[in-house]
Amino acid sequence: MTEQTSLPPVARVLQAQDIPFRVYHHAHPIRSLEQAARERGQRLEQVVRSLLFRVGDGHFVLVLMPGGLRVDWPVLRRHLGVSRVTTATPEEVLAVTGYPVGAVGPLGLRQAVPILADPRAFAPEEMSVGSGEPGVAVILRSADLRRALGDQVTLVPLGQVAQRA
């Protein structure tokens, strides 16, 4: 195992919980989820995005969504009981999660926020999530991420198939 100080933040949380994982360093900047999946040797649905939404003044929710699906906004608003939801700005993402956009993972967040996950995020046996560092992913078994998240995550069918242009 790599020395703890050289691990990205999400991997350090997993290591502290004795949860197996591997760290994947991309050789080039990631331009798409398809590229990320291909380079990691995964299918698109195995790349799980951690998306931060603002649901009110100073209130946020993190949504875990597998690649190939997008958030169904009306379903998200209905589930949260609000009439307005917006994506967090890059500055808010960094302030709330401690991670830059594109590197957000669901563990080790700077602030405690509710975490919702489309159940399909956990369907593949193996998945990858943001590590907290750009260009780096953490790959682990879906069951292990569920164990790491414990009761912090609520499963809600929030995704719909993304339309291709």
Side-chain angles (χ1 to χ4, degrees):
M1 179 69 61
T2 311
E3 188 177 313
Q4 185 171 354
T5 56
S6 65
L7 289 173
V10 171
R12 289 196 300 268
V13 172
L14 292 167
Q15 184 179 56
Q17 294 183 26
D18 288 325
I19 292 177
F21 63 89
R22 65 185 195 275
V23 175
Y24 183 88
H25 294 268
H26 286 276
H28 306 286
I30 297 301
R31 305 279 185 231
S32 69
L33 286 177
E34 292 83 1
Q35 174 194 355
R38 188 173 51 254
E39 290 182 8
R40 296 172 196 169
Q42 295 183 316
R43 297 180 315 279
L44 183 60
E45 63 270 15
Q46 290 178 278
V47 178
V48 176
R49 298 170 294 146
S50 299
L51 308 166
L52 189 68
F53 293 91
R54 184 181 336 100
V55 294
D57 192 28
H59 294 89
F60 297 88
V61 63
L62 189 71
V63 175
L64 305 183
M65 189 64 59
L69 295 182
R70 64 181 182 86
V71 173
D72 186 326
W73 289 76
V75 172
L76 178 61
R77 287 192 301 268
R78 196 167 38 252
H79 176 78
L80 296 171
V82 297
S83 60
R84 181 173 160 89
V85 174
T86 57
T87 56
T89 66
E91 295 79 18
E92 289 171 327
V93 170
L94 185 60
V96 171
T97 68
Y99 308 137
V101 170
V104 177
L107 298 167
L109 303 176
R110 181 175 285 158
Q111 295 179 24
V113 296
I115 300 174
L116 304 176
D118 187 283
R120 291 167 283 191
F122 295 102
E125 185 175 335
E126 180 185 83
M127 65 186 342
S128 58
V129 296
S131 70
E133 293 180 4
V136 181
V138 172
I139 300 172
L140 71 164
R141 290 177 357 107
S142 299
D144 288 334
L145 181 61
R146 285 290 306 271
R147 186 164 49 102
L149 290 168
D151 61 2
Q152 295 176 63
V153 66
T154 302
L155 299 181
V156 182
L158 295 170
Q160 60 179 253
V161 176
Q163 299 291 324
R164 296 283 174 213

mmCIF file of all heavy atoms in Angstrom, residues 74-126:
data_model
loop_
_atom_site.group_PDB
_atom_site.id
_atom_site.type_symbol
_atom_site.label_atom_id
_atom_site.label_comp_id
_atom_site.label_asym_id
_atom_site.label_seq_id
_atom_site.Cartn_x
_atom_site.Cartn_y
_atom_site.Cartn_z
ATOM 1 N N PRO A 74 -36.894 17.536 -12.137
ATOM 2 C CA PRO A 74 -38.186 17.532 -11.432
ATOM 3 C C PRO A 74 -38.252 16.473 -10.329
ATOM 4 O O PRO A 74 -38.813 16.723 -9.260
ATOM 5 C CB PRO A 74 -39.205 17.236 -12.547
ATOM 6 C CG PRO A 74 -38.535 17.712 -13.804
ATOM 7 C CD PRO A 74 -37.068 17.429 -13.592
ATOM 8 N N VAL A 75 -37.682 15.313 -10.560
ATOM 9 C CA VAL A 75 -37.677 14.258 -9.539
ATOM 10 C C VAL A 75 -36.828 14.692 -8.343
ATOM 11 O O VAL A 75 -37.221 14.494 -7.189
ATOM 12 C CB VAL A 75 -37.178 12.926 -10.130
ATOM 13 C CG1 VAL A 75 -36.993 11.878 -9.038
ATOM 14 C CG2 VAL A 75 -38.138 12.415 -11.198
ATOM 15 N N LEU A 76 -35.669 15.316 -8.600
ATOM 16 C CA LEU A 76 -34.818 15.805 -7.517
ATOM 17 C C LEU A 76 -35.545 16.869 -6.698
ATOM 18 O O LEU A 76 -35.568 16.800 -5.464
ATOM 19 C CB LEU A 76 -33.497 16.358 -8.073
ATOM 20 C CG LEU A 76 -32.523 16.939 -7.042
ATOM 21 C CD1 LEU A 76 -32.090 15.888 -6.026
ATOM 22 C CD2 LEU A 76 -31.301 17.528 -7.753
ATOM 23 N N ARG A 77 -36.168 17.842 -7.369
ATOM 24 C CA ARG A 77 -36.901 18.885 -6.643
ATOM 25 C C ARG A 77 -38.035 18.285 -5.809
ATOM 26 O O ARG A 77 -38.225 18.660 -4.650
ATOM 27 C CB ARG A 77 -37.455 19.930 -7.617
ATOM 28 C CG ARG A 77 -36.395 20.834 -8.200
ATOM 29 C CD ARG A 77 -37.005 22.030 -8.920
ATOM 30 N NE ARG A 77 -37.894 21.641 -10.005
ATOM 31 C CZ ARG A 77 -37.523 21.480 -11.272
ATOM 32 N NH1 ARG A 77 -36.262 21.697 -11.619
ATOM 33 N NH2 ARG A 77 -38.391 21.138 -12.190
ATOM 34 N N ARG A 78 -38.770 17.356 -6.402
ATOM 35 C CA ARG A 78 -39.891 16.725 -5.695
ATOM 36 C C ARG A 78 -39.383 15.965 -4.465
ATOM 37 O O ARG A 78 -39.945 16.072 -3.380
ATOM 38 C CB ARG A 78 -40.635 15.803 -6.666
ATOM 39 C CG ARG A 78 -41.991 15.382 -6.209
ATOM 40 C CD ARG A 78 -42.854 14.728 -7.288
ATOM 41 N NE ARG A 78 -42.170 13.850 -8.217
ATOM 42 C CZ ARG A 78 -41.925 14.164 -9.503
ATOM 43 N NH1 ARG A 78 -42.283 15.331 -10.018
ATOM 44 N NH2 ARG A 78 -41.305 13.295 -10.283
ATOM 45 N N HIS A 79 -38.295 15.202 -4.638
ATOM 46 C CA HIS A 79 -37.745 14.443 -3.505
ATOM 47 C C HIS A 79 -37.309 15.374 -2.368
ATOM 48 O O HIS A 79 -37.512 15.064 -1.189
ATOM 49 C CB HIS A 79 -36.566 13.575 -3.948
ATOM 50 C CG HIS A 79 -35.914 12.872 -2.808
ATOM 51 N ND1 HIS A 79 -36.449 11.745 -2.222
ATOM 52 C CD2 HIS A 79 -34.792 13.159 -2.095
ATOM 53 C CE1 HIS A 79 -35.689 11.366 -1.213
ATOM 54 N NE2 HIS A 79 -34.673 12.204 -1.108
ATOM 55 N N LEU A 80 -36.695 16.494 -2.724
ATOM 56 C CA LEU A 80 -36.193 17.429 -1.715
ATOM 57 C C LEU A 80 -37.284 18.349 -1.169
ATOM 58 O O LEU A 80 -37.068 19.045 -0.168
ATOM 59 C CB LEU A 80 -35.053 18.269 -2.300
ATOM 60 C CG LEU A 80 -33.794 17.490 -2.690
ATOM 61 C CD1 LEU A 80 -32.827 18.383 -3.458
ATOM 62 C CD2 LEU A 80 -33.125 16.892 -1.458
ATOM 63 N N GLY A 81 -38.447 18.383 -1.834
ATOM 64 C CA GLY A 81 -39.538 19.239 -1.387
ATOM 65 C C GLY A 81 -39.266 20.710 -1.611
ATOM 66 O O GLY A 81 -39.683 21.555 -0.821
ATOM 67 N N VAL A 82 -38.556 21.021 -2.700
ATOM 68 C CA VAL A 82 -38.238 22.409 -3.021
ATOM 69 C C VAL A 82 -38.678 22.699 -4.454
ATOM 70 O O VAL A 82 -38.851 21.792 -5.265
ATOM 71 C CB VAL A 82 -36.724 22.703 -2.867
ATOM 72 C CG1 VAL A 82 -36.277 22.514 -1.431
ATOM 73 C CG2 VAL A 82 -35.892 21.846 -3.802
ATOM 74 N N SER A 83 -38.844 23.985 -4.751
ATOM 75 C CA SER A 83 -39.251 24.361 -6.102
ATOM 76 C C SER A 83 -38.065 24.768 -6.972
ATOM 77 O O SER A 83 -38.205 24.885 -8.185
ATOM 78 C CB SER A 83 -40.256 25.520 -6.052
ATOM 79 O OG SER A 83 -39.663 26.643 -5.416
ATOM 80 N N ARG A 84 -36.901 24.952 -6.334
ATOM 81 C CA ARG A 84 -35.742 25.404 -7.099
ATOM 82 C C ARG A 84 -34.483 24.676 -6.623
ATOM 83 O O ARG A 84 -34.210 24.606 -5.422
ATOM 84 C CB ARG A 84 -35.570 26.910 -6.931
ATOM 85 C CG ARG A 84 -34.419 27.495 -7.701
ATOM 86 C CD ARG A 84 -34.450 29.016 -7.599
ATOM 87 N NE ARG A 84 -33.184 29.603 -7.908
ATOM 88 C CZ ARG A 84 -32.809 29.953 -9.132
ATOM 89 N NH1 ARG A 84 -33.604 29.771 -10.140
ATOM 90 N NH2 ARG A 84 -31.621 30.497 -9.324
ATOM 91 N N VAL A 85 -33.730 24.161 -7.576
ATOM 92 C CA VAL A 85 -32.438 23.528 -7.336
ATOM 93 C C VAL A 85 -31.499 24.027 -8.415
ATOM 94 O O VAL A 85 -31.889 24.117 -9.577
ATOM 95 C CB VAL A 85 -32.536 21.984 -7.417
ATOM 96 C CG1 VAL A 85 -31.166 21.342 -7.313
ATOM 97 C CG2 VAL A 85 -33.451 21.442 -6.346
ATOM 98 N N THR A 86 -30.276 24.366 -8.041
ATOM 99 C CA THR A 86 -29.288 24.794 -9.037
ATOM 100 C C THR A 86 -27.987 24.025 -8.813
ATOM 101 O O THR A 86 -27.728 23.548 -7.711
ATOM 102 C CB THR A 86 -28.998 26.308 -8.944
ATOM 103 O OG1 THR A 86 -28.550 26.617 -7.625
ATOM 104 C CG2 THR A 86 -30.233 27.135 -9.261
ATOM 105 N N THR A 87 -27.201 23.928 -9.865
ATOM 106 C CA THR A 87 -25.889 23.316 -9.681
ATOM 107 C C THR A 87 -25.018 24.303 -8.914
ATOM 108 O O THR A 87 -25.117 25.512 -9.094
ATOM 109 C CB THR A 87 -25.221 22.963 -11.030
ATOM 110 O OG1 THR A 87 -25.154 24.136 -11.832
ATOM 111 C CG2 THR A 87 -25.988 21.885 -11.763
ATOM 112 N N ALA A 88 -24.201 23.792 -8.056
ATOM 113 C CA ALA A 88 -23.295 24.634 -7.276
ATOM 114 C C ALA A 88 -22.230 25.224 -8.197
ATOM 115 O O ALA A 88 -21.819 24.584 -9.172
ATOM 116 C CB ALA A 88 -22.652 23.807 -6.169
ATOM 117 N N THR A 89 -21.791 26.407 -7.876
ATOM 118 C CA THR A 89 -20.710 27.038 -8.640
ATOM 119 C C THR A 89 -19.395 26.332 -8.307
ATOM 120 O O THR A 89 -19.294 25.675 -7.256
ATOM 121 C CB THR A 89 -20.574 28.524 -8.276
ATOM 122 O OG1 THR A 89 -20.151 28.621 -6.904
ATOM 123 C CG2 THR A 89 -21.880 29.295 -8.492
ATOM 124 N N PRO A 90 -18.384 26.475 -9.148
ATOM 125 C CA PRO A 90 -17.085 25.878 -8.811
ATOM 126 C C PRO A 90 -16.555 26.340 -7.451
ATOM 127 O O PRO A 90 -15.967 25.548 -6.711
ATOM 128 C CB PRO A 90 -16.175 26.337 -9.955
ATOM 129 C CG PRO A 90 -17.108 26.505 -11.116
ATOM 130 C CD PRO A 90 -18.386 27.049 -10.508
ATOM 131 N N GLU A 91 -16.811 27.595 -7.099
ATOM 132 C CA GLU A 91 -16.358 28.111 -5.807
ATOM 133 C C GLU A 91 -17.108 27.439 -4.659
ATOM 134 O O GLU A 91 -16.523 27.107 -3.628
ATOM 135 C CB GLU A 91 -16.549 29.637 -5.744
ATOM 136 C CG GLU A 91 -15.693 30.408 -6.730
ATOM 137 C CD GLU A 91 -16.244 30.407 -8.162
ATOM 138 O OE1 GLU A 91 -17.436 30.117 -8.386
ATOM 139 O OE2 GLU A 91 -15.454 30.691 -9.091
ATOM 140 N N GLU A 92 -18.417 27.232 -4.843
ATOM 141 C CA GLU A 92 -19.204 26.548 -3.819
ATOM 142 C C GLU A 92 -18.771 25.092 -3.693
ATOM 143 O O GLU A 92 -18.674 24.568 -2.581
ATOM 144 C CB GLU A 92 -20.696 26.616 -4.164
ATOM 145 C CG GLU A 92 -21.281 28.000 -3.992
ATOM 146 C CD GLU A 92 -22.691 28.111 -4.548
ATOM 147 O OE1 GLU A 92 -23.021 27.429 -5.555
ATOM 148 O OE2 GLU A 92 -23.465 28.920 -3.979
ATOM 149 N N VAL A 93 -18.510 24.429 -4.823
ATOM 150 C CA VAL A 93 -18.068 23.034 -4.797
ATOM 151 C C VAL A 93 -16.802 22.912 -3.955
ATOM 152 O O VAL A 93 -16.703 22.055 -3.080
ATOM 153 C CB VAL A 93 -17.844 22.492 -6.227
ATOM 154 C CG1 VAL A 93 -17.150 21.134 -6.190
ATOM 155 C CG2 VAL A 93 -19.166 22.398 -6.981
ATOM 156 N N LEU A 94 -15.839 23.783 -4.205
ATOM 157 C CA LEU A 94 -14.582 23.747 -3.453
ATOM 158 C C LEU A 94 -14.819 24.053 -1.968
ATOM 159 O O LEU A 94 -14.284 23.368 -1.094
ATOM 160 C CB LEU A 94 -13.570 24.716 -4.059
ATOM 161 C CG LEU A 94 -12.176 24.690 -3.443
ATOM 162 C CD1 LEU A 94 -11.534 23.308 -3.574
ATOM 163 C CD2 LEU A 94 -11.296 25.740 -4.123
ATOM 164 N N ALA A 95 -15.650 25.063 -1.682
ATOM 165 C CA ALA A 95 -15.896 25.441 -0.287
ATOM 166 C C ALA A 95 -16.620 24.346 0.484
ATOM 167 O O ALA A 95 -16.289 24.070 1.640
ATOM 168 C CB ALA A 95 -16.706 26.743 -0.242
ATOM 169 N N VAL A 96 -17.599 23.696 -0.143
ATOM 170 C CA VAL A 96 -18.417 22.702 0.552
ATOM 171 C C VAL A 96 -17.723 21.346 0.628
ATOM 172 O O VAL A 96 -17.725 20.698 1.672
ATOM 173 C CB VAL A 96 -19.805 22.569 -0.127
ATOM 174 C CG1 VAL A 96 -20.596 21.397 0.439
ATOM 175 C CG2 VAL A 96 -20.588 23.868 0.028
ATOM 176 N N THR A 97 -17.129 20.914 -0.490
ATOM 177 C CA THR A 97 -16.542 19.569 -0.514
ATOM 178 C C THR A 97 -15.066 19.551 -0.149
ATOM 179 O O THR A 97 -14.556 18.537 0.310
ATOM 180 C CB THR A 97 -16.695 18.920 -1.904
ATOM 181 O OG1 THR A 97 -15.873 19.613 -2.851
ATOM 182 C CG2 THR A 97 -18.147 18.912 -2.360
ATOM 183 N N GLY A 98 -14.372 20.658 -0.438
ATOM 184 C CA GLY A 98 -12.925 20.691 -0.265
ATOM 185 C C GLY A 98 -12.199 20.210 -1.515
ATOM 186 O O GLY A 98 -10.969 20.167 -1.543
ATOM 187 N N TYR A 99 -12.960 19.845 -2.556
ATOM 188 C CA TYR A 99 -12.394 19.307 -3.791
ATOM 189 C C TYR A 99 -12.778 20.181 -4.980
ATOM 190 O O TYR A 99 -13.873 20.740 -5.019
ATOM 191 C CB TYR A 99 -12.919 17.893 -4.052
ATOM 192 C CG TYR A 99 -12.763 16.937 -2.896
ATOM 193 C CD1 TYR A 99 -13.791 16.074 -2.545
ATOM 194 C CD2 TYR A 99 -11.585 16.878 -2.154
ATOM 195 C CE1 TYR A 99 -13.657 15.173 -1.489
ATOM 196 C CE2 TYR A 99 -11.441 15.984 -1.100
ATOM 197 C CZ TYR A 99 -12.481 15.141 -0.778
ATOM 198 O OH TYR A 99 -12.334 14.246 0.274
ATOM 199 N N PRO A 100 -11.897 20.259 -5.984
ATOM 200 C CA PRO A 100 -12.253 21.032 -7.181
ATOM 201 C C PRO A 100 -13.244 20.263 -8.066
ATOM 202 O O PRO A 100 -13.331 19.034 -8.008
ATOM 203 C CB PRO A 100 -10.907 21.199 -7.897
ATOM 204 C CG PRO A 100 -10.094 20.026 -7.463
ATOM 205 C CD PRO A 100 -10.533 19.734 -6.047
ATOM 206 N N VAL A 101 -13.989 21.007 -8.870
ATOM 207 C CA VAL A 101 -14.908 20.399 -9.842
ATOM 208 C C VAL A 101 -14.117 19.394 -10.684
ATOM 209 O O VAL A 101 -12.990 19.660 -11.083
ATOM 210 C CB VAL A 101 -15.535 21.483 -10.744
ATOM 211 C CG1 VAL A 101 -16.288 20.852 -11.911
ATOM 212 C CG2 VAL A 101 -16.450 22.379 -9.933
ATOM 213 N N GLY A 102 -14.713 18.238 -10.927
ATOM 214 C CA GLY A 102 -14.058 17.198 -11.710
ATOM 215 C C GLY A 102 -13.287 16.199 -10.867
ATOM 216 O O GLY A 102 -12.851 15.171 -11.369
ATOM 217 N N ALA A 103 -13.107 16.499 -9.587
ATOM 218 C CA ALA A 103 -12.363 15.597 -8.703
ATOM 219 C C ALA A 103 -13.156 15.243 -7.449
ATOM 220 O O ALA A 103 -12.647 14.590 -6.555
ATOM 221 C CB ALA A 103 -11.033 16.236 -8.309
ATOM 222 N N VAL A 104 -14.419 15.668 -7.394
ATOM 223 C CA VAL A 104 -15.225 15.469 -6.193
ATOM 224 C C VAL A 104 -15.544 13.987 -6.012
ATOM 225 O O VAL A 104 -15.953 13.306 -6.939
ATOM 226 C CB VAL A 104 -16.537 16.281 -6.263
ATOM 227 C CG1 VAL A 104 -17.409 16.003 -5.037
ATOM 228 C CG2 VAL A 104 -16.224 17.773 -6.366
ATOM 229 N N GLY A 105 -15.321 13.521 -4.799
ATOM 230 C CA GLY A 105 -15.694 12.170 -4.401
ATOM 231 C C GLY A 105 -16.665 12.256 -3.244
ATOM 232 O O GLY A 105 -16.817 13.318 -2.633
ATOM 233 N N PRO A 106 -17.327 11.168 -2.890
ATOM 234 C CA PRO A 106 -18.357 11.211 -1.861
ATOM 235 C C PRO A 106 -17.861 11.069 -0.424
ATOM 236 O O PRO A 106 -18.665 11.059 0.497
ATOM 237 C CB PRO A 106 -19.251 10.025 -2.227
ATOM 238 C CG PRO A 106 -18.302 9.048 -2.850
ATOM 239 C CD PRO A 106 -17.288 9.882 -3.590
ATOM 240 N N LEU A 107 -16.564 10.974 -0.217
ATOM 241 C CA LEU A 107 -16.018 10.767 1.132
ATOM 242 C C LEU A 107 -15.048 11.890 1.490
ATOM 243 O O LEU A 107 -14.392 12.461 0.617
ATOM 244 C CB LEU A 107 -15.283 9.432 1.195
ATOM 245 C CG LEU A 107 -16.129 8.195 0.930
ATOM 246 C CD1 LEU A 107 -15.228 6.979 0.718
ATOM 247 C CD2 LEU A 107 -17.104 7.959 2.058
ATOM 248 N N GLY A 108 -14.934 12.169 2.770
ATOM 249 C CA GLY A 108 -13.977 13.169 3.237
ATOM 250 C C GLY A 108 -14.369 14.586 2.893
ATOM 251 O O GLY A 108 -13.509 15.451 2.738
ATOM 252 N N LEU A 109 -15.659 14.846 2.793
ATOM 253 C CA LEU A 109 -16.138 16.185 2.438
ATOM 254 C C LEU A 109 -15.835 17.179 3.550
ATOM 255 O O LEU A 109 -15.881 16.840 4.736
ATOM 256 C CB LEU A 109 -17.640 16.157 2.161
ATOM 257 C CG LEU A 109 -18.097 15.187 1.071
ATOM 258 C CD1 LEU A 109 -19.615 15.191 0.965
ATOM 259 C CD2 LEU A 109 -17.459 15.527 -0.256
ATOM 260 N N ARG A 110 -15.558 18.399 3.167
ATOM 261 C CA ARG A 110 -15.253 19.459 4.135
ATOM 262 C C ARG A 110 -16.465 19.739 5.026
ATOM 263 O O ARG A 110 -16.327 19.985 6.222
ATOM 264 C CB ARG A 110 -14.835 20.721 3.379
ATOM 265 C CG ARG A 110 -14.461 21.876 4.286
ATOM 266 C CD ARG A 110 -13.930 23.057 3.504
ATOM 267 N NE ARG A 110 -12.575 22.745 3.073
ATOM 268 C CZ ARG A 110 -11.952 23.330 2.056
ATOM 269 N NH1 ARG A 110 -12.558 24.265 1.361
ATOM 270 N NH2 ARG A 110 -10.736 22.993 1.736
ATOM 271 N N GLN A 111 -17.660 19.765 4.429
ATOM 272 C CA GLN A 111 -18.895 19.997 5.179
ATOM 273 C C GLN A 111 -19.786 18.768 5.054
ATOM 274 O O GLN A 111 -19.810 18.120 4.014
ATOM 275 C CB GLN A 111 -19.659 21.199 4.616
ATOM 276 C CG GLN A 111 -18.960 22.525 4.752
ATOM 277 C CD GLN A 111 -19.787 23.652 4.152
ATOM 278 O OE1 GLN A 111 -20.996 23.569 4.037
ATOM 279 N NE2 GLN A 111 -19.116 24.721 3.760
ATOM 280 N N ALA A 112 -20.539 18.484 6.088
ATOM 281 C CA ALA A 112 -21.510 17.392 6.024
ATOM 282 C C ALA A 112 -22.697 17.847 5.183
ATOM 283 O O ALA A 112 -23.274 18.907 5.447
ATOM 284 C CB ALA A 112 -21.968 17.012 7.420
ATOM 285 N N VAL A 113 -23.005 17.086 4.149
ATOM 286 C CA VAL A 113 -24.161 17.368 3.310
ATOM 287 C C VAL A 113 -24.907 16.055 3.077
ATOM 288 O O VAL A 113 -24.296 14.981 3.086
ATOM 289 C CB VAL A 113 -23.776 17.995 1.940
ATOM 290 C CG1 VAL A 113 -23.129 19.357 2.117
ATOM 291 C CG2 VAL A 113 -22.863 17.084 1.147
ATOM 292 N N PRO A 114 -26.225 16.141 2.866
ATOM 293 C CA PRO A 114 -26.952 14.920 2.526
ATOM 294 C C PRO A 114 -26.396 14.343 1.214
ATOM 295 O O PRO A 114 -26.018 15.086 0.309
ATOM 296 C CB PRO A 114 -28.401 15.396 2.333
ATOM 297 C CG PRO A 114 -28.477 16.733 2.984
ATOM 298 C CD PRO A 114 -27.096 17.313 2.920
ATOM 299 N N ILE A 115 -26.353 13.017 1.128
ATOM 300 C CA ILE A 115 -25.888 12.354 -0.085
ATOM 301 C C ILE A 115 -27.022 11.489 -0.608
ATOM 302 O O ILE A 115 -27.544 10.632 0.103
ATOM 303 C CB ILE A 115 -24.643 11.481 0.176
ATOM 304 C CG1 ILE A 115 -23.490 12.341 0.700
ATOM 305 C CG2 ILE A 115 -24.228 10.747 -1.099
ATOM 306 C CD1 ILE A 115 -22.262 11.555 1.122
ATOM 307 N N LEU A 116 -27.413 11.752 -1.861
ATOM 308 C CA LEU A 116 -28.407 10.950 -2.556
ATOM 309 C C LEU A 116 -27.691 10.193 -3.654
ATOM 310 O O LEU A 116 -26.747 10.718 -4.257
ATOM 311 C CB LEU A 116 -29.487 11.843 -3.176
ATOM 312 C CG LEU A 116 -30.231 12.794 -2.240
ATOM 313 C CD1 LEU A 116 -31.193 13.663 -3.044
ATOM 314 C CD2 LEU A 116 -30.961 12.017 -1.161
ATOM 315 N N ALA A 117 -28.121 8.978 -3.935
ATOM 316 C CA ALA A 117 -27.508 8.205 -5.006
ATOM 317 C C ALA A 117 -28.583 7.500 -5.813
ATOM 318 O O ALA A 117 -29.492 6.900 -5.232
ATOM 319 C CB ALA A 117 -26.534 7.169 -4.448
ATOM 320 N N ASP A 118 -28.471 7.603 -7.125
ATOM 321 C CA ASP A 118 -29.326 6.777 -7.962
ATOM 322 C C ASP A 118 -28.889 5.338 -7.717
ATOM 323 O O ASP A 118 -27.683 5.054 -7.731
ATOM 324 C CB ASP A 118 -29.164 7.156 -9.434
ATOM 325 C CG ASP A 118 -30.172 6.436 -10.299
ATOM 326 O OD1 ASP A 118 -29.961 5.235 -10.566
ATOM 327 O OD2 ASP A 118 -31.155 7.066 -10.714
ATOM 328 N N PRO A 119 -29.815 4.413 -7.462
ATOM 329 C CA PRO A 119 -29.434 3.029 -7.161
ATOM 330 C C PRO A 119 -28.560 2.390 -8.236
ATOM 331 O O PRO A 119 -27.739 1.518 -7.941
ATOM 332 C CB PRO A 119 -30.772 2.293 -7.037
ATOM 333 C CG PRO A 119 -31.777 3.352 -6.770
ATOM 334 C CD PRO A 119 -31.263 4.612 -7.405
ATOM 335 N N ARG A 120 -28.704 2.847 -9.478
ATOM 336 C CA ARG A 120 -27.901 2.285 -10.570
ATOM 337 C C ARG A 120 -26.417 2.601 -10.415
ATOM 338 O O ARG A 120 -25.572 1.952 -11.024
ATOM 339 C CB ARG A 120 -28.433 2.753 -11.923
ATOM 340 C CG ARG A 120 -29.806 2.140 -12.235
ATOM 341 C CD ARG A 120 -30.477 2.813 -13.380
ATOM 342 N NE ARG A 120 -31.031 4.082 -12.922
ATOM 343 C CZ ARG A 120 -31.857 4.828 -13.635
ATOM 344 N NH1 ARG A 120 -32.208 4.469 -14.853
ATOM 345 N NH2 ARG A 120 -32.329 5.969 -13.147
ATOM 346 N N ALA A 121 -26.071 3.572 -9.573
ATOM 347 C CA ALA A 121 -24.655 3.879 -9.325
ATOM 348 C C ALA A 121 -23.957 2.690 -8.686
ATOM 349 O O ALA A 121 -22.764 2.472 -8.895
ATOM 350 C CB ALA A 121 -24.529 5.112 -8.430
ATOM 351 N N PHE A 122 -24.712 1.895 -7.913
ATOM 352 C CA PHE A 122 -24.127 0.763 -7.196
ATOM 353 C C PHE A 122 -24.365 -0.574 -7.895
ATOM 354 O O PHE A 122 -24.021 -1.617 -7.361
ATOM 355 C CB PHE A 122 -24.673 0.717 -5.768
ATOM 356 C CG PHE A 122 -24.271 1.906 -4.947
ATOM 357 C CD1 PHE A 122 -25.158 2.939 -4.718
ATOM 358 C CD2 PHE A 122 -22.987 1.996 -4.418
ATOM 359 C CE1 PHE A 122 -24.784 4.048 -3.970
ATOM 360 C CE2 PHE A 122 -22.607 3.098 -3.671
ATOM 361 C CZ PHE A 122 -23.506 4.125 -3.447
ATOM 362 N N ALA A 123 -24.958 -0.534 -9.097
ATOM 363 C CA ALA A 123 -25.270 -1.779 -9.818
ATOM 364 C C ALA A 123 -24.024 -2.537 -10.288
ATOM 365 O O ALA A 123 -23.944 -3.745 -10.090
ATOM 366 C CB ALA A 123 -26.198 -1.492 -10.992
ATOM 367 N N PRO A 124 -23.032 -1.867 -10.893
ATOM 368 C CA PRO A 124 -21.837 -2.623 -11.299
ATOM 369 C C PRO A 124 -21.074 -3.118 -10.068
ATOM 370 O O PRO A 124 -21.092 -2.468 -9.017
ATOM 371 C CB PRO A 124 -20.990 -1.594 -12.058
ATOM 372 C CG PRO A 124 -21.913 -0.471 -12.394
ATOM 373 C CD PRO A 124 -22.951 -0.460 -11.309
ATOM 374 N N GLU A 125 -20.400 -4.235 -10.199
ATOM 375 C CA GLU A 125 -19.625 -4.759 -9.067
ATOM 376 C C GLU A 125 -18.483 -3.816 -8.701
ATOM 377 O O GLU A 125 -18.161 -3.632 -7.527
ATOM 378 C CB GLU A 125 -19.064 -6.136 -9.394
ATOM 379 C CG GLU A 125 -18.366 -6.759 -8.204
ATOM 380 C CD GLU A 125 -17.904 -8.178 -8.461
ATOM 381 O OE1 GLU A 125 -18.486 -8.862 -9.314
ATOM 382 O OE2 GLU A 125 -16.938 -8.590 -7.799
ATOM 383 N N GLU A 126 -17.876 -3.195 -9.715
ATOM 384 C CA GLU A 126 -16.762 -2.265 -9.488
ATOM 385 C C GLU A 126 -17.134 -0.901 -10.045
ATOM 386 O O GLU A 126 -17.811 -0.794 -11.059
ATOM 387 C CB GLU A 126 -15.510 -2.781 -10.205
ATOM 388 C CG GLU A 126 -14.303 -1.882 -10.017
ATOM 389 C CD GLU A 126 -13.117 -2.350 -10.837
ATOM 390 O OE1 GLU A 126 -13.064 -2.019 -12.045
ATOM 391 O OE2 GLU A 126 -12.263 -3.039 -10.277
#
